[in-house]
Amino acid sequence: PASNPGNPPARAPAGARAARRTSGLGASRPAGRRRGAAREAMPKKNRKQVQVRVQQPAAAAAAAAAGGGPMGGLDGLLGPGMMDGMPAMPQMGDPNMKILWPAPVPGPDGAMPPRPEFTRWTTVWTTYIDRSRSYSKGRRLPRDAACDDPTVVEMQWACQHLNLRHIMEPYRRYSREQGWENEGRLRVELFAADHSPINPEVPNKKALIHAIARLVPESLPRQQRAEMAAKAQRDQEEKVAAAAKKKNKGRKRR
């Protein structure tokens, strides 16, 4: 019954509701007035956030029409991160990059040889021969047999000296490394199809790691690094000396 307060009020028939809408008795506020009233009722902070969210797609569309990208035509001029004078962030290389040595040479018919099955080749990380790493962090040699700050390029030079075919993956990161300061690994072909060692001087992985650690300090990339470091040190000393000379010259004039 309608007199029972627990029951919801009876709904008017559909015909009566349609008649009310047609007569204007139950007409609601226009959509624009509803949104305007809600915007006036909300705090100014939230009002600004709503305005920014609405304007962002329009701004992106205008920029794309002007230059083809969200930077408004400046995508080709500014490097990654070079916006508002901010320095560019260091870009990490593709970890799937692979460099084969020796480089494949096309055959007489111009076809490239098939890619070698390198997944079973011996893996050598830079961490294996790094003196600054502990055994728990991946070092495989005693400290007196390891070397300081090896790079994958220096290890590649050592494998070339040993005349062993290998693949360099310069942007692979060792699983126990926290940063990217010492990255890269080699996959070295140690054995032929009949499981005999290709180089008799390197019969197994342990001998390979020892040989690489012995050759890295003598490598050409290591010598070039030392020359660049010495040159940078000399340039810094010359700058400091020039600044001190200029400062002393100004004091004498006074």
Side-chain angles (χ1 to χ4, degrees), residues 17-18 20-35 37:
R17 292 200 302 272
R20 240 190 297 174
R21 281 199 301 270
T22 308
S23 63
L25 297 176
S28 59
R29 224 181 276 173
R33 288 186 62 191
R34 274 205 316 273
R35 283 196 294 268

Side-chain angles (χ1 to χ4, degrees), residues 58-104:
M71 291 291 294
L74 297 179
D75 292 338
L77 301 178
L78 298 179
M82 296 292 291
M83 191 189 335
D84 299 332
M86 295 178 62
M89 296 297 292
Q91 298 297 310
M92 298 303 172
D94 183 8
N96 296 320
M97 177 185 291
K98 295 175 177 57
I99 303 172
L100 175 64
W101 185 92

